[in-house]
Amino acid sequence: MKRIVVLGAGFGGLEATLELERAFRHQPGIEILLVSEQNYFLFTPLLPQIASSYINPRHIVQPVRDIRGRRRFDFRRDDVRAIDPAGRRVALASGALEYDHLVVALGSRTDYFGIPGAREHTWDFKSLEDAVVLRERILDICEHADHVADPAVRRQMLTFVVVGGGYTGVELVSEMRDFMFHYVAERYRGIPRADIRLVVLEAAPEILRGVHPKLAQHAAKRLRVEGIEIRLGAKVTRCFPDGIEINGSEIISAETLIWTAGVRAHPLVEALPGPHDRIGRVLVNERLQLEGHPEIFVVGDSAAASSAKDAPRVAPVAIAQGKLAARNIAHRERGEPLEGYQYISQGALVSLGMNYAVVDVAGLKLSGYFAWLFWNAVHLYKLVGLKKQLQVAMDWSLAAIFPRDASIVRRPRRCKLCGTDEAS
Ligand SMILES: Cc1cc2nc3c(=O)[nH]c(=O)nc-3n(C[C@H](O)[C@H](O)[C@H](O)COP(=O)(O)OP(=O)(O)OC[C@H]3O[C@@H](n4cnc5c(N)ncnc54)[C@H](O)[C@@H]3O)c2cc1C
């Protein structure tokens, strides 16, 4: 019996597993095992809508066992602790696991670039839990600010700084704007709209790097018209509990700093042998194999493929690479030549909140309401499972008629005003 192990049930790992299933469906003697720390697949593109209370957190995750259905692959929820390429085994929290082929799809983690205070004083925005915790934080701040008499203190409490003007930062701040200006300003009587300040800090001269420059400029203009401050060339140099320093001089006072600025490869990927790029991704050949270990394939945010080093760290790349790695494993088993990975851009879709998006797909550049409808349709289609598609479609429809649900269901874990901190 040969064992193929896939690490990570994100976009790359899940796609690799499903493709392996297809390739080996009628072949006995092959065991396919997917290992991941979470028992669900997370649809990250809708995370900003969790933070703004637009959709329900459960609606963008799909349990792996539901995705599996009647397929034969095995799933183990476990924490990967180490990868030993020489011994062809991985160390899991529950013990060692040997493999014949390995697909590494462990994603990425946040990079704070060593900026003093960034790790300690900013809110991360990568996981479902991050989005849920940030949502609670926003609501918690509003509850406190609602009865603060001093306008200066209130304004500081209601200043939200998003570090990073990439897709995530822009989509998040747009969602926050909808929530703060259209829900909070209308329902919290002690919060005047003028006291709410949303700031995006971007070190580069433009936001939305990778999007066509005209669309990126259009997006920046639109955000400014909507009341969001976009600070370009603003390099964060220090973070404090109650503010942030930019370019070594200017301080912006703010109670909530959100970090969407940088990513690095997963630590287990950084520890793999062979060359790595500047953000720790392992360099793999065009067939996605690790140097000196043709049985190990690395995909998605973890990989820098020699044929596509500049491919962005986005879901379509992880999906395409996951599929290709699975097909190449099947080719190896059958003694066939392996395929090479070529990056083909699928364009860009950026939501700027309710009723507005910018879209650059197949040479078509579109902004406004129809672009937003297109954004919604694509994301709904890409969600895994009819149940989740219906749930999200229902959330969106209800939000057009009823107010958002701003209940805090869990006591905030980090709030100096409530007297709680991370440890309590
Ligand atoms: C907030 C946000 C918004 C985004 N929006 C978009 C978007 O709109 N469009 C787009 O194309 N891309 C978007 N992305 C990027 C996209 O999510 C990634 O490029 C994609 O998820 C990469 O796929 P992956 O398989 O490499 O990693 P991931 O999908 O991150 O999967 C990694 C998997 O590994 C598991 N794992 C990690 N460590 C361990 C461990 N030690 N043990 C066991 N399992 C482990 C994780 O739980 C996860 O299941 C967004 C990302 C974020 C964070």
Side-chain angles (χ1 to χ4, degrees):
M1 176 71 89
K2 284 196 171 172
R3 184 186 286 150
I4 306 170
V5 175
V6 179
L7 304 181
F11 283 98
L14 187 64
E15 201 60 40
T17 307
L18 297 176
E19 191 68 24
L20 284 167
E21 174 85 27
R22 282 190 277 273
F24 293 109
R25 190 179 297 146
H26 304 297
Q27 193 169 327
I30 300 277
E31 179 193 348
I32 303 164
L33 174 62
L34 173 62
V35 180
S36 198
E37 62 187 353
Q38 314 283 9
N39 73 345
Y40 57 74
F41 165 75
L42 169 67
F43 191 72
T44 51
L46 294 184
L47 274 178
Q49 300 192 353
I50 304 293
S52 66
S53 305
Y54 191 11
I55 54 178
N56 184 318
R58 284 184 192 282
H59 297 170
I60 64 163
V61 289
Q62 176 78 304
V64 174
R65 287 180 179 82
D66 288 354
I67 297 171
R68 178 172 63 177
R70 298 161 77 94
R71 294 181 180 96
R72 60 173 240 216
F73 74 84
D74 287 320
F75 173 68
R76 193 183 294 183
R77 195 196 72 141
D78 211 331
D79 191 19
V80 184
R81 300 273 168 87
I83 302 171
D84 172 12
R88 290 199 179 189
R89 63 182 158 247
V90 286
L92 305 180
S94 62
L97 183 71
E98 300 196 335
Y99 61 78
D100 295 285
H101 280 107
L102 183 70
V103 179
V104 180
L106 290 169
S108 52
R109 63 187 158 130
T110 303
D111 190 359
Y112 296 97
F113 309 117
I115 294 169
R119 184 186 295 277
E120 299 83 347
H121 303 306
T122 64
W123 298 76
D124 201 0
F125 195 69
K126 258 196 111 22
S127 66
L128 182 66
E129 194 183 3
D130 292 339
V132 169
V133 168
L134 179 62
R135 172 188 176 275
E136 284 165 5
R137 163 67 175 187
I138 295 168
L139 294 170
D140 181 51
I141 279 282
C142 293
E143 293 298 338
H144 289 297
D146 192 40
H147 51 82
V148 166
D150 183 340
V153 176
R154 196 169 55 229
R155 274 197 289 276
Q156 174 167 344
M157 290 172 80
L158 293 169
T159 299
F160 298 88
V161 177
V162 176
V163 183
Y167 289 59
T168 304
V170 165
E171 293 201 338
L172 175 62
V173 82
S174 303
E175 282 297 322
M176 288 174 66
R177 184 203 68 91
D178 284 352
F179 181 69
M180 295 302 295
F181 288 174
H182 297 302
Y183 181 89
V184 172
E186 282 169 17
R187 284 178 176 74
Y188 288 69
R189 292 178 185 166
I191 298 185
R193 189 187 153 117
D195 284 358
I196 300 168
R197 187 179 176 202
L198 296 165
V199 187
V200 176
L201 301 180
E202 171 55 57
E206 289 292 345
I207 58 166
L208 294 174
R209 200 154 41 113
V211 174
H212 190 279
K214 271 201 176 143
L215 275 184
Q217 281 158 19
H218 180 80
K221 200 167 147 196
R222 165 82 190 182
L223 294 179
R224 286 186 172 122
V225 168
E226 292 291 319
I228 297 167
E229 282 177 50
I230 309 279
R231 303 284 304 268
L232 302 171
K235 203 166 174 301
V236 174
T237 39
R238 263 188 306 168
C239 300
F240 312 101
D242 53 1
I244 191 161
E245 181 190 79
I246 46 180
N247 299 328
S249 51
E250 184 186 345
I251 304 265
I252 298 178
S253 297
E255 292 281 324
T256 309
L257 314 172
I258 305 155
W259 194 267
T260 70
V263 291
R264 274 199 83 73
H266 193 285
L268 293 176
V269 171
E270 291 207 59
L272 284 172
H276 292 72
D277 71 0
R278 84 188 152 77
I279 59 163
R281 295 182 305 173
V282 68
L283 297 181
V284 287
N285 64 24
E286 62 170 338
R287 296 171 299 276
L288 307 177
Q289 292 162 300
L290 185 65
E291 196 178 286
H293 292 277
E295 73 286 0
I296 299 183
F297 292 79
V298 189
V299 304
D301 282 7
S302 303
S306 62
S307 53
K309 282 187 195 143
D310 296 330
R313 291 175 303 276
V314 289
V317 170
I319 290 171
Q321 292 187 345
K323 266 192 187 150
L324 186 97
R327 284 205 302 273
N328 277 345
I329 290 174
H331 290 321
R332 280 196 91 216
E333 279 298 309
R334 292 167 192 154
E336 299 162 355
L338 271 55
E339 299 171 49
Y341 173 73
Q342 290 304 327
Y343 169 61
I344 300 164
S345 169
Q346 298 197 357
L349 303 171
V350 189
S351 164
L352 300 180
M354 200 61 119
N355 298 340
Y356 209 96
V358 290
V359 165
D360 179 5
V361 176
L364 182 73
K365 290 171 192 51
L366 206 63
S367 60
Y369 182 66
F370 288 105
W372 179 76
L373 287 181
F374 184 71
W375 187 98
N376 284 344
V378 169
H379 285 81
L380 209 51
Y381 172 72
K382 299 260 179 191
L383 260 173
V384 181
L386 181 63
K387 180 179 163 194
K388 299 294 157 179
Q389 290 172 325
L390 290 174
Q391 285 175 323
V392 167
M394 191 60 87
D395 282 344
W396 286 346
S397 309
L398 291 176
I401 308 166
F402 299 106
R404 299 185 183 199
D405 188 340
S407 323
I408 302 175
V409 289
R410 220 168 54 162
R411 189 171 152 83
R413 283 187 300 166
R414 200 164 112 193
C415 174
K416 66 181 182 194
L417 302 157
C418 299
T420 51
D421 59 31
E422 236 27 318
S424 61

